Amino acid sequence: MHWLAYQLLHGELPQLSSFTNFHFVVYAIPCFILLYVLMPKKLKRYYLLIASYAFCFLINGAMVIYLLVSTVSMFGFGLLLDKLQTQMKDALAVTEKEQRKAVKKKFVIKQRVVILFAILLHIGTLVVLKYTGFFVTNINRAITMSGGTNLLTVPHFLIPIGISFFSLQALSYILDVYRGITKADRNILRLALFLAFFPQVIEGPISRYNQTADQLWNSPQVNTQSFTFGVQRIIFGMIKKIVIADRLNSFVALIFNDYAMLDGGTIALGAILYTIQLYMDFSGIMDIGLGISEIVGIKLPENFERPFFSKTISEFWKRWHITLGTWFRDYIFYPVSTSTSMKKLTSSARKKLGNHYGPLIAGSIALFSVWICNGLWHGADWNFIFFGMYHFVLILLGNILVPLVRLVNKKLNINPENFFYKLMQILRTCLLVVIGELFFRANGLMNGFHMFGRIFTDFSFSSLTSDLLVRGGIDYLDFIIAGITLIGIFAVSVLNEKKISVRELQTKPVKGALVLQWSVIFILAIFLLVFGAYGVGYAEVYPMYAEF
Amino acid sequence: MLDEKNKNRLYKSLVVIVFMIVLIGSMLLLSFVFTPTNNYPDAGMIDWNVKAILAEPQNSIDAIFLGNSEGYYAFTPLKIWEEQGITTYNCSAKGNPVNISESYLHLAFEKQTPKVVFFETDSIYKKPLVIWQLFSSRVVETFSVMSYHNRWKDMDASEIGKEKNYTYQDDFKGFFMDKATVAADPATNMNPTDKSKHIFYRNRQYIIRMKEYCEERGAKFVLVSTPTTKNWNMKKHNGMAEFAQSAGIEYIDMNFMYDELHIDWNTDSRDGGDHLNVVGADKICSYLGQYLANTGLFTDKRTDPSYSKWNENLEKYNNAKNPS
């Protein structure tokens, strides 16, 4: 143990970069699963908790303290709310009917104060760590513009990986206790496991207490079916991430960094490739996380549902980063749109503007709140705020134009269920998404506008030379293999979209289903081994959403 | 007799076991297919400059150099040959962690019996590989398809199945000649301080193990810090000097010898003081050649006909340095 003590003292313990890390995949996941299988049923929950904290420690080092503080605070706030709710019930039981409203109000105010502190702690920490630099930079900009010279020092905080995800998860628990959706948990270890479960800690999904806490605490046994399909899903996710996303990474980075030297066609290609990269990266990591969970029998909520089959932007956001969307829906959109003042606004607007446009005003205010938060959640920069506002405007326009579109379709005798009509809708949505991602990825908002402008003012592919490909560390064979892989993923998505489960297809044969399932794993594994963009010549690409 | 439940279990276990066997077998087969059959740079061999030592005639190398990019750009064996007639080989590679250098030390000793082994110290301060990284490097060694999988793009089908034969000799003996010149800021890296930088435990262990390995084979192990204004400083020197003393290893810090070596930071670096270029490399290798000669362990082989190839290489070296 001498060497371990020495290394602890000198901070020599290894740091993990992510669970797509080659070593983690080759050793940590198999070891984790093996120990989980061997662990006695009663100890599995503690094992999951220890493994999750070990993972978080290796990812974040001492910053794992943030996770610990979040856990303790959600435990404390939950109990406090529970106590207040019990006191309220007791008080109401002994209060005269006419005084109940006043008593209830008193306790509701107390609970809201608790909620306020919880929000201040969780969101406040997030704001301080993520946005202080952004605010100070903009204050300095204003000082410079007004001729001032005394600029403030821009602080740079170390931000623990996953804080944007686990903060929302912790807050959802406290708000659910407040709303009576869930009971306050008196077991801090169960809460700790709910918050720290490692497959979800880097990039989500942002689970709700009612979805996962009990599952995790009951720690089911591993069964063959979930094990097999879990392994399949992990490899499928790794193919998305390592064969496609990581392969495109350096070329996309080159286009966004050197766009000033490039023509519009190449920039447009860069925006399309970035959108593909982001989807493959994020959904690939989700597949790996959900695959690991599935192996140990835990069902985490899905975060993607084939978003590029969406016919509108609104539908896109119901299929992309689903758990973030539902979080904003449940904890921002609904509270804002159903608040007393909004209800009043809706009822008066309905009288003047009718049943479609009347509720739209309050809905749009709530929608604005959601999208400003969504933009800011992704990062502290103007292009993220623009990204949020861009989607707000698109969704708002979609809502406003619904009656007009219906009317035009009726007048022109267009059937909205027609295949080509739907295809056009899908392509339009994809185009709008790609434009949004261009601004999202751009190095600053102004660069985003310059890039977007260039697509229209200088559209050609003359800068897409072999020299550019070499500088971007890519060649035509890379595009071919990425394209073939995308076609494979697209085929699976089409089947799923048609409600044909690839998994069910594999369980159909009466004899040899297991052999078929492991043959699929074998083919996927060999494909990944040979065509993955890893090892010599490739830098490991950190999961993209982990940085948000 | 097995009941239905146990039969089912056995069947499932068999499927997984057969899967593992087929997967491992396939990986080994693919490793055989993907590993280059020769060590030509174009064949895609990783660190081909180091592996080319296997193509050198048996027991023909007097001394070797190990390290990362600092050594890769700094140790030029042909300069030592030119001035002393001593044969050396540079087994440094860019980004090499200490443990990989250790495996290259073993590789060098496969066919050679060098009498002196120089180790460039920069990598000793780099974070050592973590335990699963070490396991992984073993796995990658076994399943070399993981290193060479990207050769699917330009593999020649006729290569498949051929015997591996490392016949390619590197003309510059592992050294990378970089003629670029980017002036460095005046060196202030060796300003005095009593502080010393901590050396990672595992890196200490690797170095001590390498020293013992060399001593067991009758070779002297020497630590060398090559001149760099960006990667070396007094704190690192102090830490290294303390470690070298405690481990009983000779240590040469060339960062105290800029005047003696005639290092000119306007002309001798390829990248503003980070690494040396060929001009700087020649200067420090003049010193190291003299050091080797002073040991009295080596004879001058410049007139030995069996080493005539070295003179041809020297001509190529000087032509490459100063093309007419």
Side-chain angles (χ1 to χ4, degrees):
Chain A
M1 293 305 284
H2 162 72
W3 66 274
L4 184 63
Y6 186 94
Q7 291 181 52
L8 273 169
L9 279 172
H10 289 88
E12 287 186 26
L13 275 184
Q15 270 209 309
L16 266 184
S17 51
S18 82
F19 55 70
T20 53
N21 182 290
F22 172 77
H23 314 103
F24 185 73
V25 171
V26 173
Y27 300 108
I29 295 179
C31 287
F32 163 73
I33 294 165
L34 187 67
L35 284 174
Y36 184 83
V37 172
L38 298 174
M39 197 63 61
K41 169 81 178 151
K42 277 183 187 173
L43 297 179
K44 280 190 198 302
R45 58 186 60 157
Y46 305 110
Y47 169 67
L48 280 183
L49 182 60
I50 291 166
S52 294
Y53 261 85
F55 177 81
C56 294
F57 178 71
L58 291 175
I59 286 267
N60 277 322
M63 285 193 291
V64 75
I65 194 82
Y66 285 99
L67 188 64
L68 207 59
V69 170
S70 275
T71 306
V72 173
S73 87
M74 71 193 270
F75 178 69
F77 284 125
L79 290 184
L80 198 55
L81 286 168
D82 185 63
K83 192 179 167 190
L84 287 170
Q85 284 167 354
T86 313
Q87 284 175 355
M88 183 172 76
K89 267 184 204 164
D90 294 345
L92 287 174
V94 293
T95 307
E96 297 291 324
K97 198 175 177 185
E98 52 277 11
Q99 288 174 329
R100 279 186 190 165
K101 208 173 172 183
V103 171
K104 190 175 178 183
K105 196 178 173 187
K106 195 179 90 182
F107 278 103
V108 167
I109 289 171
K110 279 185 181 175
Q111 288 183 64
R112 284 185 177 169
V113 171
V114 174
I115 292 293
L116 184 70
F117 276 109
I119 291 173
L120 276 176
L121 180 73
H122 290 277
I123 303 298
T125 309
L126 204 58
V127 168
V128 169
L129 292 179
K130 274 178 86 168
Y131 308 108
T132 312
F134 174 66
F135 292 138
V136 174
T137 305
N138 282 288
I139 290 168
N140 283 345
R141 216 171 271 169
I143 293 171
T144 312
M145 280 167 74
S146 60
T149 51
N150 291 331
L151 300 182
L152 305 168
T153 309
V154 182
H156 293 284
F157 296 109
L158 285 174
I159 303 174
I161 290 162
I163 191 168
S164 300
F165 296 90
F166 69 70
S167 294
L168 295 192
Q169 196 162 310
L171 203 54
S172 77
Y173 163 78
I174 297 167
L175 289 166
D176 283 354
V177 172
Y178 166 67
R179 290 170 173 188
I181 293 171
T182 189
K183 287 201 158 206
D185 198 332
R186 295 181 180 279
N187 183 344
I188 193 169
L189 296 180
R190 178 163 43 209
L191 275 178
L193 181 56
F194 158 70
L195 202 61
F197 183 49
F198 79 90
Q200 69 179 19
V201 89
I202 296 182
E203 289 195 341
I206 304 162
S207 308
R208 305 293 173 80
Y209 180 85
N210 286 344
Q211 288 174 318
T212 58
D214 281 340
Q215 277 192 74
L216 287 164
W217 196 244
N218 293 331
S219 310
Q221 302 282 5
V222 176
N223 70 63
T224 315
Q225 196 71 103
S226 64
F227 180 79
T228 308
F229 285 134
V231 173
Q232 272 191 11
R233 189 156 188 185
I234 291 173
I235 301 177
F236 189 64
M238 290 177 75
I239 287 176
K240 282 181 175 176
K241 164 100 175 95
I242 298 172
V243 177
I244 302 177
D246 292 1
R247 173 164 264 115
L248 298 176
N249 180 57
S250 56
F251 185 59
V252 168
L254 178 72
I255 291 178
F256 277 84
N257 292 338
D258 288 3
Y259 77 90
M261 321 278 215
L262 305 174
D263 50 43
T266 310
I267 290 171
L269 177 68
I272 294 168
L273 293 179
Y274 173 66
T275 308
I276 293 171
Q277 184 198 359
L278 186 67
Y279 178 49
M280 289 296 131
D281 188 291
F282 192 13
S283 70
I285 293 288
M286 281 303 108
D287 285 332
I288 298 169
L290 269 69
I292 297 170
S293 306
E294 190 172 357
I295 288 175
V296 294
I298 308 291
K299 189 164 170 47
L300 294 179
E302 293 288 340
N303 232 358
F304 290 95
E305 201 185 318
R306 303 169 298 285
F308 290 96
F309 285 92
S310 306
K311 294 190 283 294
T312 63
I313 287 293
S314 178
E315 185 188 350
F316 177 83
W317 282 98
K318 285 175 189 151
R319 289 164 168 252
W320 172 283
H321 207 173
I322 297 167
T323 55
L324 180 72
T326 50
W327 197 98
F328 283 132
R329 182 196 66 195
D330 293 348
Y331 302 109
I332 295 181
F333 185 85
Y334 287 156
V336 173
S337 61
T338 57
S339 63
T340 316
S341 54
M342 287 299 142
K343 275 182 184 164
K344 278 181 191 164
L345 179 65
T346 300
S347 104
S348 67
R350 201 189 287 268
K351 284 174 197 158
K352 288 172 190 160
L353 300 169
N355 278 340
H356 179 76
Y357 291 108
L360 211 60
I361 296 178
S364 302
I365 293 169
L367 198 65
F368 175 82
S369 315
V370 165
W371 282 101
I372 196 83
C373 290
N374 188 310
L376 279 169
W377 181 88
H378 281 94
D381 218 329
W382 286 108
N383 56 326
F384 295 118
I385 295 170
F386 177 85
F387 174 80
M389 290 300 95
Y390 170 80
H391 285 99
F392 164 67
V393 170
L394 289 178
I395 293 170
L396 186 63
L397 277 176
N399 291 339
I400 291 170
L401 293 175
V402 167
L404 183 68
V405 172
R406 274 196 204 129
L407 187 71
V408 171
N409 284 347
K410 200 175 172 184
K411 292 266 179 202
L412 297 176
N413 215 9
I414 297 169
N415 177 9
E417 294 305 311
N418 179 290
F419 171 75
F420 290 104
Y421 185 81
K422 283 199 234 172
L423 183 66
M424 291 312 291
Q425 284 181 305
I426 289 171
L427 290 175
R428 176 201 58 190
T429 306
C430 289
L431 178 69
L432 293 173
V433 169
V434 168
I435 293 169
E437 297 300 350
L438 182 146
F439 284 95
F440 186 78
R441 171 64 178 82
N443 301 322
L445 184 57
M446 291 320 292
N447 284 348
F449 279 117
H450 289 148
M451 291 178 81
F452 187 61
R454 193 162 282 205
I455 293 174
F456 298 98
T457 56
D458 180 24
F459 191 86
S460 76
F461 289 97
S462 56
S463 55
L464 192 61
T465 58
S466 53
D467 177 55
L468 186 77
L469 296 182
V470 170
R471 284 202 295 134
I474 204 164
D475 58 33
Y476 77 97
L477 286 167
D478 285 305
F479 283 116
I480 287 174
I481 204 66
I484 290 170
T485 316
L486 270 178
I487 290 168
I489 292 166
F490 179 71
V492 173
S493 302
V494 169
L495 288 174
N496 286 336
E497 196 64 14
K498 287 180 179 293
K499 311 284 179 216
I500 301 168
S501 163
V502 178
R503 292 185 169 193
E504 273 177 30
L505 290 176
Q506 293 178 63
T507 48
K508 268 188 179 167
V510 183
K511 278 190 172 179
L514 197 63
V515 175
L516 174 68
Q517 289 156 18
W518 281 91
S519 301
V520 171
I521 293 174
F522 174 76
I523 292 165
L524 293 177
I526 295 294
F527 186 84
L528 175 67
L529 182 75
V530 175
F531 297 112
Y534 65 92
V536 181
Y538 295 100
E540 188 185 341
V541 185
Y542 198 74
M544 295 163 86
Y545 253 73
E547 290 166 7
F548 296 137
Chain B
M1 286 297 286
L2 290 172
D3 60 19
E4 201 55 36
K5 197 178 167 188
N6 281 329
K7 260 188 193 171
N8 200 18
R9 269 188 191 166
L10 184 68
Y11 168 70
K12 285 173 181 174
S13 309
L14 266 177
V15 169
V16 176
I17 290 166
V18 169
F19 166 81
M20 291 306 295
I21 292 169
V22 173
L23 183 69
I24 290 169
S26 304
M27 286 172 74
L28 288 171
L29 182 69
L30 286 170
S31 300
F32 179 72
V33 170
F34 277 86
T35 306
T37 50
N38 208 317
N39 61 328
Y40 287 100
D42 290 346
M45 178 67 74
I46 296 162
D47 292 342
W48 56 268
N49 65 313
V50 179
K51 286 161 190 169
I53 196 171
L54 293 174
E56 294 292 326
Q58 188 123 14
N59 298 330
S60 64
I61 302 293
D62 295 328
I64 62 162
F65 301 99
L66 293 164
N68 60 8
S69 58
E70 293 296 333
Y72 182 63
Y73 291 108
F75 299 128
T76 171
L78 289 168
K79 183 68 182 172
I80 296 172
W81 171 260
E82 183 179 33
E83 294 184 354
Q84 306 295 343
I86 296 171
T87 54
T88 58
Y89 201 97
N90 189 350
C91 295
S92 309
K94 284 194 270 189
N96 249 11
V98 181
N99 71 303
I100 300 289
S101 291
E102 187 184 23
S103 69
Y104 286 166
L105 174 72
H106 297 172
L107 183 93
F109 271 89
E110 273 183 32
K111 284 183 72 180
Q112 307 297 333
T113 48
K115 294 279 178 287
V116 180
V117 173
F118 294 101
F119 193 99
E120 212 294 329
T121 52
D122 182 58
S123 61
I124 301 174
Y125 279 112
K126 307 286 180 197
K127 198 161 190 171
L129 298 184
V130 297
I131 193 151
W132 50 74
Q133 286 174 315
L134 293 172
F135 279 130
S136 293
S137 44
R138 283 289 163 89
V139 170
V140 171
E141 262 174 44
T142 311
F143 300 108
S144 54
V145 60
M146 291 181 187
S147 300
Y148 295 112
H149 63 100
N150 216 28
R151 293 186 70 229
W152 64 268
K153 287 180 182 173
D154 47 22
M155 252 175 68
D156 183 355
S158 65
E159 262 189 61
I160 298 170
K162 272 191 184 171
E163 201 184 330
K164 311 281 181 275
N165 193 8
Y166 296 164
T167 55
Y168 174 75
Q169 288 186 8
D170 182 20
D171 288 345
F172 296 169
K173 309 298 173 195
F175 169 69
F176 184 83
M177 181 188 288
D178 196 330
K179 295 197 287 182
T181 303
V182 177
D185 293 331
T188 54
N189 52 319
M190 300 309 282
N191 287 346
T193 174
D194 290 336
K195 291 179 182 168
S196 57
K197 192 171 163 70
H198 163 71
I199 296 173
F200 287 106
Y201 175 78
R202 272 169 289 150
N203 284 348
R204 287 171 181 259
Q205 297 305 309
Y206 289 131
I207 296 294
I208 290 168
R209 217 158 60 190
M210 276 190 261
K211 177 213 167 202
E212 288 168 357
Y213 181 89
C214 291
E215 283 175 354
E216 283 163 16
R217 284 156 185 78
K220 184 178 180 182
F221 187 77
V222 183
L223 292 171
V224 183
S225 301
T226 56
T228 165
T229 59
K230 286 193 177 169
N231 293 311
W232 205 250
N233 55 41
M234 198 64 193
K235 263 174 80 175
K236 285 187 176 181
H237 166 84
N238 291 343
M240 192 56 62
E242 285 162 20
F243 165 62
Q245 195 181 14
S246 67
I249 302 171
E250 184 175 340
Y251 173 45
I252 303 168
D253 191 343
M254 295 181 163
N255 290 285
F256 285 121
M257 302 159 67
Y258 296 160
D259 290 339
E260 187 185 342
L261 298 167
H262 308 295
I263 294 292
D264 178 353
W265 286 116
N266 288 315
T267 58
D268 295 353
S269 172
R270 64 185 286 272
D271 44 20
D274 202 347
H275 304 88
L276 295 176
N277 58 19
V278 65
V279 182
D282 272 352
K283 289 177 182 175
I284 71 150
C285 284
S286 276
Y287 173 85
L288 291 173
Q290 192 59 57
Y291 173 93
L292 288 171
N294 291 345
T295 60
L297 294 167
F298 311 106
T299 53
D300 184 347
K301 303 181 190 71
R302 279 175 288 189
T303 53
D304 184 339
S306 57
Y307 287 85
S308 60
K309 191 90 194 302
W310 280 77
N311 290 323
E312 289 169 29
N313 289 335
L314 178 62
E315 206 177 321
K316 284 183 197 169
Y317 179 77
N318 286 329
N319 287 340
K321 225 169 24 175
N322 307 306
S324 50

